[in-house]
Amino acid sequence: VQLVESGGGLVQPGGSLRLSCAVSGITFDDYAIGWFRLAPGKAHEGVSCVSRRDLSRAYADSVKGRFTISSDNAKNTVYLQMNSLKPEDTAVYYCVAREDYQEYCGGYGFNEYTYYGQGTQVTVSS
């Protein structure tokens, strides 16, 4: 199983980035896929997730209205479109996956996922 993130980088406040998570080795339709982030000195924070077959999506309050998660089943890829970025969004972003048959994915902590990507750095700074 592999989760490969891409799309991180340095962006000015107010800018946008799109993260991608290419997933292989699993039956995509049976998995919840999420994004967590880890900022220096802080614990892992759940950012967003999409349940199996895109039945539902969940967002942290801190990113609602600015971030959008989406999935492309044909490409086994999940995206995180991040707009109106703020310095406090600076973190390493991790893609995570777990086999899950629930319609709602927002209640799982970082350690409750099974597979993890290597992380991609997002830095928001002027």
Side-chain angles (χ1 to χ4, degrees):
V1 178
Q2 280 194 312
L3 282 67
V4 180
E5 302 104 331
S6 61
L10 173 64
V11 64
Q12 292 186 343
S16 298
L17 284 174
R18 188 178 79 156
L19 305 183
S20 299
C21 175
V23 181
S24 61
I26 62 173
T27 303
F28 196 70
D29 280 351
D30 293 338
Y31 277 72
I33 311 292
W35 290 93
F36 279 75
R37 64 187 181 186
L38 182 63
K42 297 187 177 181
H44 285 98
E45 177 189 13
V47 175
S48 183
C49 64
V50 55
S51 69
R52 72 181 187 96
R53 302 189 181 185
D54 202 2
L55 293 175
S56 71
R57 304 174 185 183
Y59 297 92
D61 287 344
S62 58
V63 306
K64 279 180 182 176
R66 300 188 297 122
F67 290 12
T68 302
I69 193 169
S70 61
S71 62
D72 185 335
N73 283 20
K75 296 181 178 180
N76 279 16
T77 299
V78 173
Y79 304 97
L80 185 68
Q81 178 67 43
M82 306 186 296
N83 298 329
S84 302
L85 282 161
K86 304 175 181 179
E88 51 263 45
D89 294 318
T90 296
V92 178
Y93 284 69
Y94 295 91
C95 180
V96 297
R98 59 171 281 149
E99 190 173 20
D100 190 68
Y101 296 95
Q102 304 299 316
E103 290 190 13
Y104 179 70
C105 59
Y108 299 116
F110 184 75
N111 292 327
E112 294 179 279
Y113 281 82
T114 309
Y115 301 109
Y116 302 85
Q118 81 285 355
T120 186
Q121 176 71 46
V122 172
T123 302
V124 184
S125 174
S126 55

